[in-house]
Amino acid sequence: MIINEFKIELIYNTIFDVECHIDNVLFSKSKNKSQHLFKIKKNNIKVEFFINPQKIKPLIRINGFLVNYGLAKIMPWDHKIEMFLDQFFYENYSKNIIESKKKYLGISDECSSDFDNFVGYNSYHFDIVNIIKKEIQ
Amino acid sequence: MKSILLTSLPKYDLSAPPAALGVLQGIAKSNGWQTKIFDFNLFLHKNLTDEEWQAIDNWSMFIINDIDDGLKKKIINLWDLSIKTEMLENTEYLLISVFSYWSLYIARLIISNEGKKIKPYKLIVGGNGVVSKFPDSKEYFEHWNNKNKFIEHLIIGEGENPLVKILSKGRIKYDDKNIDSYPFPSYSGFDFNEYFEKKVYITGSRGCVRKCTFCDIANIWPKFRFRSAESIIEEIKKHFYEHGITRFDFTDSLINGSVSNFYKFNCLLAEEKQKNADLKDIIYLGQAICRPKNQMLEKHYEAMYYAGCKQLTIGIESFSFKIREHMKKRFSDKDIEYHLEQCAIWNIPNIFLMICGYPTETIEDHNKNLQDLKKYQLFAKMGVIEMIRWGTTMHLIPDTPVTSQKSIQELGLVSRDSTPIFFSPSSSYDWISKINPELTIKERIRRRIELHEATTRLGYLQPRVKEDLNTLLSLAKSVKINN
């Protein structure tokens, strides 16, 4: 799933200002709101949101999805929020979900029964499926 | 001090202490009884091989009619040994919770064994399983006990008042219409490290506001009753402060049965977490129904987020509206889209529960399932559909609307050998519908495999799918043998 446009919302429970920089160049400013929206039709970019007042960690939605900072590889600094956005954002987010489940569950082997029981990604089980297909032929 | 040993029978998931024991221990303790807890399901799982555990799984789900005598003996020996070890000297009652319909065969084995003993304690048996009938003998559990007199106190239906009546010798009575009147459950005596997750089950309501055709909940709880939001929050705080529990899984058939009470619960919990930083890590999970926009407003989803809702299990069952309509699910494709959009906005993951091979399912309905798996793929990638469970194939349960006499006649449901449904236990899986004759057991298995392949290819998470496939394989083999 390839993305060509990013709609990024920053939301907080108090009013704040945001300056959006793309690859170190000012892209857009948004002031005096609790909810800011930026539409970016670029790819493979570094995006920095400079926030005032500082030390705010707003909710971030990307294309309608409230994202987890860690899974989206968003770096929160005191004065800015930094992220890299590319066309494979959804794929990478999905991969990070799997990795984080593995870490949380203490599973390192994707061939293990624990991975199958508790994560269940890519669980084709061709061996069992092929036998079932033969049985019902 | 008088004491009671509380135990529960397989088979159910091992992720947390069984809720029934928590509830019943709460009643015993609040009435001055000394309690001892023993989770036999967990104990058996630790003492059987994987093959033996799978055999019990197949037996419990009536895929096979029996297990070999060696395994039965092993189960009985483990039971006898552990009851002897766990029982306190002054134990007056052994309470056995028969969790569900799936526990019936093992309950019969264990309780028959207990019936042969000369023992200093009396048996109390209850649970959802005891309202059902044994698939092989077609005899109701209660009738079987009346004949054999194994159990001194068989509790049919909810356990709170019957148990407190026994323990208080009739002096105490709760108000069944107001489930706030029951004591809070107690999880003391459980070693949370033995379970996969450190969490407890919590009940906010009983019964359901829907009458889905495949479901038997209405037999157990004909009326929908719910606790006050304040009471649920007090119980959450109790378990947090007593055991450090921050994760609460609701046992409710649906947590949004009363939309207004559910909204109030979320708002109050969010407020508590704001007021008291101790509680900030509290999260909850639960089953819910998909509701349209005019019933579950956008602010409801926001409130769920701030309260700490971390997962909803939704019975979507089929992506075909026609099938859902027959099931009496009462939500449209647009409602599913709205629900997923709101869950995306507030990062609320879902488990989608699905059924393959409902009696009226045509190939077009099946193709709609395949189509919409693709349609919702992005939600799966982003974790909004955190996982999807297709189970095996449609399993007919007695005493549900779809297996009522009227429905059996309308749908023309018979076993594959044309004997009536439930004449043999295998007919719960191996049935045909005369109005939809193409949907044979082989075709259901074929569709299920096709769904499995599509679901996996599209990147959906399907935990424990190997178990489902092994069950399908047992089914496929038994179909071949019976051909």
Side-chain angles (χ1 to χ4, degrees):
Chain A
M1 262 178 204
I2 290 174
I3 311 174
N4 294 315
E5 180 180 78
F6 295 94
K7 197 173 92 173
I8 305 177
E9 296 169 82
L10 285 81
I11 306 120
Y12 199 65
N13 55 16
T14 55
I15 285 169
F16 63 111
D17 301 336
V18 184
E19 258 187 37
C20 175
H21 290 227
I22 295 176
D23 290 334
N24 303 314
V25 174
L26 176 66
F27 170 75
S28 173
K29 290 185 192 183
S30 177
K31 282 182 175 292
N32 235 13
K33 291 189 265 192
S34 59
Q35 205 158 329
H36 303 266
L37 173 65
F38 299 92
K39 289 184 186 170
I40 302 172
K41 285 186 186 178
K42 289 183 186 190
N43 239 317
N44 299 314
I45 48 175
K46 179 178 82 170
V47 181
E48 293 165 295
F49 296 104
F50 290 87
I51 298 189
N52 187 37
Q54 294 181 1
K55 300 192 183 181
I56 284 175
K57 196 175 167 190
L59 298 179
I60 295 183
R61 288 199 187 105
I62 298 177
N63 293 350
F65 290 93
L66 181 64
V67 296
N68 174 285
Y69 274 53
L71 298 175
K73 302 286 186 214
I74 295 171
M75 281 153 287
W77 302 82
D78 279 352
H79 63 300
K80 68 173 179 176
I81 287 162
E82 193 177 316
M83 62 184 81
F84 288 87
L85 295 175
D86 69 15
Q87 56 190 340
F88 300 113
F89 175 79
Y90 297 140
E91 299 297 335
N92 292 334
Y93 195 89
S94 178
K95 280 189 191 133
N96 292 337
I97 288 176
I98 311 288
E99 287 307 312
S100 111
K101 279 182 185 281
K102 281 164 65 179
K103 271 198 189 116
Y104 165 74
L105 295 165
I107 299 168
S108 54
D109 178 7
E110 292 196 5
C111 297
S112 67
S113 59
D114 275 352
F115 183 80
D116 192 74
N117 284 333
F118 300 113
V119 182
Y121 175 69
N122 232 19
S123 302
Y124 280 101
H125 297 295
F126 290 118
D127 51 344
I128 307 174
V129 166
N130 287 338
I131 299 175
I132 293 171
K133 284 179 175 176
K134 276 200 187 113
E135 293 286 342
I136 61 170
Q137 248 168 22
Chain B
M1 193 192 270
K2 297 168 289 189
S3 78
I4 178 169
L5 173 62
L6 301 110
T7 186
S8 59
L9 300 185
K11 200 173 171 287
Y12 50 86
D13 85 81
L14 295 154
S15 56
L21 295 191
V23 165
L24 299 170
Q25 180 170 234
I27 290 167
K29 277 192 175 314
S30 71
N31 284 279
W33 283 68
Q34 190 184 17
T35 59
K36 186 94 196 288
I37 287 284
F38 173 57
D39 185 345
F40 186 62
N41 180 54
L42 181 68
F43 180 82
L44 205 59
H45 180 254
K46 288 199 281 193
N47 287 279
L48 295 181
T49 63
D50 286 348
E51 289 76 25
E52 287 168 337
W53 190 246
Q54 181 68 44
I56 292 198
D57 205 34
N58 290 341
W59 187 45
S60 298
M61 289 174 69
F62 321 122
I63 305 280
I64 56 175
N65 290 331
D66 211 345
I67 50 173
D68 68 59
D69 285 344
L71 181 52
K72 280 184 186 170
K73 240 187 211 159
K74 186 172 179 179
I75 294 169
I76 293 294
N77 287 343
L78 287 169
W79 168 265
D80 285 341
L81 180 67
S82 45
I83 291 299
K84 212 173 173 185
T85 314
E86 297 295 328
M87 203 157 269
L88 300 169
E89 260 187 50
N90 53 346
T91 298
E92 199 169 317
Y93 294 108
L94 167 59
L95 183 148
I96 301 176
S97 165
V98 180
F99 175 62
S100 75
Y101 175 68
W102 310 116
S103 311
L104 277 175
Y105 281 166
I106 205 159
R108 186 169 58 187
L109 175 71
I110 299 277
I111 292 165
S112 304
N113 177 65
E114 281 293 309
K116 293 176 195 147
K117 293 178 184 172
I118 298 167
K119 43 193 197 290
Y121 53 85
K122 296 195 173 78
L123 278 189
I124 303 175
V125 177
N128 289 344
V130 307
V131 304
S132 306
K133 48 177 143 176
F134 298 103
D136 51 3
S137 63
K138 258 99 43 210
E139 193 175 29
Y140 278 100
F141 190 100
E142 187 176 7
H143 184 252
W144 169 78
N145 185 57
N146 288 343
K147 230 173 40 184
N148 294 287
K149 311 241 184 286
F150 293 138
I151 303 163
E152 285 82 2
H153 301 282
L154 177 61
I155 296 175
I156 303 286
E158 292 182 331
E160 285 85 354
N161 262 320
L163 181 62
V164 80
K165 188 178 176 187
I166 296 165
L167 300 183
S168 71
K169 308 242 185 290
R171 285 192 302 272
I172 312 263
K173 191 175 189 319
Y174 305 123
D175 177 8
D176 281 333
K177 290 199 184 88
N178 173 19
I179 52 179
D180 278 349
S181 72
Y182 300 150
F184 286 161
S186 164
Y187 289 98
S188 65
F190 282 100
D191 180 356
F192 285 94
N193 294 321
E194 295 267 298
Y195 297 91
F196 189 71
E197 308 247 23
K198 189 172 178 182
K199 68 181 186 188
V200 297
Y201 294 108
I202 189 166
T203 300
S205 66
R206 291 181 183 178
C208 193
V209 301
R210 295 282 183 266
K211 298 250 184 293
C212 300
T213 56
F214 51 82
C215 182
D216 65 352
I217 281 295
N219 300 337
I220 304 157
W221 295 300
K223 265 195 95 171
F224 178 70
R225 293 165 296 156
F226 55 92
R227 289 170 67 186
S228 65
E230 291 86 352
S231 168
I232 301 170
I233 288 164
E234 283 308 303
E235 185 185 334
I236 286 174
K237 283 158 71 174
K238 172 188 188 283
H239 298 313
F240 171 74
Y241 286 117
E242 277 180 16
H243 305 289
I245 303 293
T246 53
R247 176 174 156 172
F248 295 87
D249 285 18
F250 279 85
T251 64
D252 307 29
S253 297
L254 72 174
I255 53 178
N256 60 343
S258 162
V259 175
S260 57
N261 195 57
F262 182 53
Y263 180 59
K264 187 178 181 187
F265 162 75
N266 283 307
C267 291
L268 286 179
L269 183 54
E271 273 168 35
E272 282 285 334
K273 290 168 84 171
Q274 188 123 34
K275 273 191 308 206
N276 184 352
D278 281 350
L279 307 176
K280 68 174 170 42
D281 292 331
I282 284 178
I283 63 169
Y284 75 84
L285 292 71
Q287 296 187 118
I289 55 173
C290 184
R291 283 188 179 275
K293 189 172 180 171
N294 64 330
Q295 291 176 17
M296 285 276 292
L297 307 176
E298 290 169 9
K299 66 178 182 177
H300 290 205
Y301 289 89
E302 182 178 1
M304 281 199 276
Y305 171 78
Y306 285 109
C309 179
K310 288 300 177 195
Q311 192 185 76
L312 295 173
T313 297
I314 307 267
I316 297 291
E317 319 301 357
S318 176
F319 289 123
S320 161
F321 176 71
K322 196 164 70 40
I323 296 294
R324 292 198 309 271
E325 203 176 28
H326 196 279
M327 288 174 171
K328 310 240 185 297
K329 294 299 290 186
R330 292 167 59 180
F331 58 87
S332 65
D333 286 2
K334 282 256 171 294
D335 297 333
I336 299 176
E337 287 162 24
Y338 167 71
H339 173 76
L340 284 172
E341 273 159 22
Q342 290 302 308
C343 287
I345 285 169
W346 291 106
N347 193 12
I348 296 170
N350 287 256
I351 297 179
F352 274 11
L353 299 182
M354 311 296 289
I355 292 177
C356 167
Y358 185 75
T360 59
E361 183 188 277
T362 62
I363 195 70
E364 288 77 27
D365 299 316
H366 170 66
N367 288 338
K368 181 70 161 61
N369 278 335
L370 292 168
Q371 210 176 294
D372 283 10
L373 277 174
K374 180 94 186 101
K375 176 178 166 186
Y376 296 124
Q377 185 190 16
L378 179 56
F379 291 101
K381 284 203 179 293
M382 294 301 288
V384 179
I385 302 175
E386 185 177 357
M387 51 183 98
I388 192 164
R389 303 267 313 142
W390 287 100
T392 51
T393 63
M394 176 76 187
H395 172 234
L396 299 176
I397 299 176
D399 303 322
T400 56
V402 79
T403 55
S404 65
Q405 277 312 306
K406 181 171 181 258
S407 174
I408 286 176
Q409 225 168 349
E410 270 171 10
L411 295 174
L413 291 172
V414 289
S415 308
R416 192 154 51 99
D417 60 4
S418 298
T419 53
I421 288 290
F422 308 129
F423 185 76
S424 65
S426 63
S427 66
S428 59
Y429 279 105
D430 195 357
W431 51 267
I432 54 165
S433 165
K434 287 181 180 170
I435 64 159
N436 190 16
E438 283 171 8
L439 189 63
T440 60
I441 176 71
K442 277 191 183 177
E443 173 60 11
R444 290 196 291 281
I445 295 173
R446 187 200 71 77
R447 289 182 191 179
R448 177 62 185 90
I449 293 296
E450 202 169 41
L451 288 166
H452 166 71
E453 288 172 332
T455 305
T456 311
R457 191 173 57 246
L458 291 166
Y460 285 77
L461 301 189
Q462 300 181 88
R464 303 206 317 270
V465 75
K466 190 176 179 182
E467 261 178 46
D468 293 339
L469 292 174
N470 278 327
T471 304
L472 270 179
L473 179 56
S474 303
L475 254 181
K477 284 181 172 168
S478 76
V479 164
K480 195 174 178 185
I481 288 168
N482 293 329
N483 249 341

